[in-house]
Amino acid sequence: MQIIETILALALTLGILVTLHEYGHFWVARRCGVKVLRFSVGFGKPLFSWYDRQGTEFAVAAIPLGGYVKMLDEREGPVPEALKDQAFTSKPPSHRIAIAAAGPIANFLFALFAYWLLGVVGVTSVAPIVGEVGPDTVAERVGLREGMELHTVDGHRVVSWRDVNMRLLERAGEQGEIAIGVSENGARGTVSGPLQGWRLSDEAPNPLLEFGITPWRPDIPPILGQISNGGRAEAAGLQPGDQVLAVDGEALGNWFDLVDAIQAAPETTLSLTIVRDGAERTIDVRPAEREQEDGTTIGFVGAGVQPVEWPEEVLRDVSYGPLAAIPNAFHETWADTRLTLVAIKKMVTGLLSPTNLSGPITIARVAEASVSSGFEDFIRFLAYLSISLGILNLLPVPVLDGGHIVYYTIEAIRGKPLSDEAQALGLRIGMTLILTLMVFALYNDLMRL
């Protein structure tokens, strides 16, 4: 069932973003007088299709990992004389550049709209308050302490841990100092210290933890919330609402003590002392074995925590009026764009491991998680992925929109297109690069399973 939900989440996510991207090409092509033969969401044989009054076929295909707009093009076959002025190849370079750029631009426009919508609707986030500071970490070197609330990182305002994560990602692998604006006991100030080339791990990087920060969280009692169907917890007879007092006679302080005990005992029978309906009882459970991304093995039973109310004083409500939300939308979109560009640069220069590159499997898993997390997380995920898709397509690589823009720009400067041989060579190079990238991303996905 989870696999089906993940596939549906991937189809929904890519369906939205690909449709927007291709609609950008389609909309501008129409306005440049180019005849569009087919607008397809997905690849392969169409599952169903229909035609509009201008003869364009709109299709939904079986493989939801992309899409395309097919235009009348003399390079793909003879074009009737009466339709030659509607062919893509008959248009001046400026029109072709506009058509190629329209897809990525549509992705950026969607991100702007998504962040504008979140700004108007309003979001609630947990304030970035430090819980613990790890020894011998950058956070300790900088001077962060338990209970401090973070307000800025290098002068950039942060109101959530997501904001902090993004700013830390930008500084990964760098030298120099990092400055963090904080407040403590009502007093504001700034702490700073050297990064000394602080890097993220190659496997499943976690900027906060690797920087040395554990976010503050309220005490979470070891009370079971969700019980997964078919899991070891259900098989043992555990139920939602059960409070676990002890494991093998060792008293528990909070939910994380229970998690630690279970993860440390794969395929080992544990005796849980629980309270149900006011009465104590003992239930034996044998955690299943699960392999982590780093190769270590942990135990899990298929049980989640009962939701806990966060104190009002640590929640931050952020909302804007319709007009005030516009500059905020540009700020958020630029922040995501900058983060993506910095990540690409750091992968190229070796400051960020290429193992962080993700493919369709990781996208599907994150999409499923964001859909189930709620409206805000899903919209943020769509916005960030849309920006990434826009940037990727603008890279000057033949096959991608950016490569076509380079070709048409050269044609506009030279007054004639590049030779067929040069374009064919570029196409082969571009295809090789893209296929290599796709295989590497898919390999990374499989290694994370």
Side-chain angles (χ1 to χ4, degrees):
M1 184 64 182
Q2 185 176 3
I3 294 177
I4 295 175
E5 291 176 354
T6 301
I7 293 173
L8 290 175
L10 175 64
L12 174 63
T13 300
L14 292 184
I16 292 172
L17 298 182
V18 167
T19 299
L20 288 166
H21 180 92
E22 297 304 329
Y23 186 78
H25 293 309
F26 168 81
W27 190 86
V28 174
R30 278 272 180 93
R31 273 134 194 88
C32 288
V34 175
K35 183 174 179 59
V36 179
L37 303 177
R38 174 182 285 179
F39 182 117
S40 178
V41 177
F43 295 112
K45 185 177 180 180
L47 299 174
F48 56 89
S49 64
W50 67 95
Y51 291 84
D52 69 1
R53 287 180 295 181
Q54 299 187 42
T56 299
E57 179 188 12
F58 293 85
V60 176
I63 306 174
L65 296 178
Y68 61 92
V69 171
K70 183 178 181 180
M71 291 170 271
L72 190 65
D73 194 319
E74 292 178 289
R75 295 169 298 182
E76 297 183 4
V79 174
E81 192 67 34
L83 296 177
K84 280 193 174 182
D85 64 330
Q86 298 181 48
F88 177 79
T89 43
S90 72
K91 300 302 176 182
S94 59
H95 285 190
R96 282 177 274 149
I97 289 172
I99 293 169
I105 290 173
N107 289 124
F108 287 105
L109 290 176
F110 170 76
L112 282 169
F113 170 75
Y115 282 124
W116 175 86
L117 180 63
L118 287 177
V120 171
V121 172
V123 297
T124 300
S125 60
V126 176
I129 299 174
V130 178
E132 296 178 10
V133 175
D136 301 320
T137 61
V138 182
E140 183 183 65
R141 191 160 61 241
V142 165
L144 290 175
R145 294 187 295 273
E146 179 182 350
M148 283 183 167
E149 179 176 351
L150 280 54
H151 298 283
T152 62
V153 176
D154 289 333
H156 299 281
R157 180 171 174 254
V158 293
V159 296
S160 67
W161 284 118
R162 175 182 179 273
D163 296 340
V164 177
N165 259 314
M166 291 178 66
R167 294 302 171 189
L168 293 182
L169 276 170
E170 290 187 9
R171 299 301 309 274
E174 297 183 5
Q175 302 291 335
E177 291 207 346
I178 185 170
I180 302 176
V182 299
S183 63
E184 185 179 28
N185 300 322
R188 288 215 179 199
T190 301
V191 296
S192 62
L195 286 168
Q196 296 180 354
W198 165 71
R199 296 174 63 97
L200 297 175
S201 66
D202 291 345
E203 301 293 334
N206 186 322
L208 280 180
L209 291 180
E210 293 173 44
F211 193 79
I213 301 173
T214 300
W216 179 89
R217 55 199 175 198
D219 288 333
I220 302 177
I223 300 176
L224 304 184
Q226 308 83 20
I227 302 294
S228 301
N229 293 330
R232 297 287 178 90
E234 182 186 57
L238 292 168
Q239 298 178 9
D242 288 347
Q243 180 171 359
V244 184
L245 301 179
V247 176
D248 288 341
E250 293 288 330
L252 300 178
N254 54 43
W255 169 262
F256 303 102
D257 292 342
L258 174 61
V259 172
D260 290 342
I262 290 173
Q263 290 186 345
E267 298 300 341
T268 302
T269 300
L270 299 176
S271 178
L272 307 186
T273 304
I274 69 166
V275 173
R276 181 186 299 167
D277 299 326
E280 285 192 19
R281 64 181 69 188
T282 299
I283 292 181
D284 290 339
V285 62
R286 185 181 179 88
E289 189 175 83
R290 171 179 287 171
E291 186 173 343
Q292 297 286 81
E293 294 178 4
D294 60 3
T296 60
T297 300
I298 63 170
F300 76 104
V301 297
V305 66
Q306 186 179 76
V308 174
E309 291 284 335
W310 285 80
E312 288 291 330
E313 60 267 22
V314 303
L315 299 180
R316 301 291 180 266
D317 294 320
V318 180
S319 62
Y320 303 88
L323 292 179
I326 295 174
N328 178 69
F330 276 95
H331 171 77
E332 293 284 357
T333 301
W334 167 243
D336 283 358
T337 301
R338 175 181 168 80
L339 176 62
T340 304
L341 292 173
V342 168
I344 292 173
K345 174 186 175 183
K346 290 188 175 183
M347 283 188 189
V348 172
T349 58
L351 295 179
L352 190 62
S353 172
T355 58
N356 294 300
L357 190 66
S358 298
I361 296 175
T362 297
I363 292 173
R365 294 170 67 181
V366 175
E368 194 274 332
S370 63
V371 169
S372 60
S373 295
F375 173 79
E376 178 190 343
D377 287 340
F378 184 55
I379 295 298
R380 283 190 182 278
F381 173 68
L382 279 179
Y384 183 74
L385 192 59
S386 187
I387 290 169
S388 299
L389 181 62
I391 291 174
L392 175 65
N393 274 279
L394 284 175
L395 294 177
V397 177
V399 180
L400 299 178
D401 295 326
H404 293 306
I405 291 171
V406 170
Y407 280 163
Y408 305 146
T409 301
I410 293 174
E411 180 181 343
I413 295 172
R414 296 176 73 230
K416 60 180 181 179
L418 289 173
S419 66
D420 292 340
E421 292 77 12
Q423 293 191 47
L425 176 61
L427 179 64
R428 288 194 294 271
I429 294 173
M431 287 293 293
T432 301
L433 287 173
I434 295 302
L435 287 174
T436 301
L437 191 67
M438 290 174 63
V439 169
F440 187 67
L442 184 59
Y443 172 79
N444 287 344
D445 282 355
L446 294 175
M447 291 299 99
R448 294 186 182 109
L449 293 178

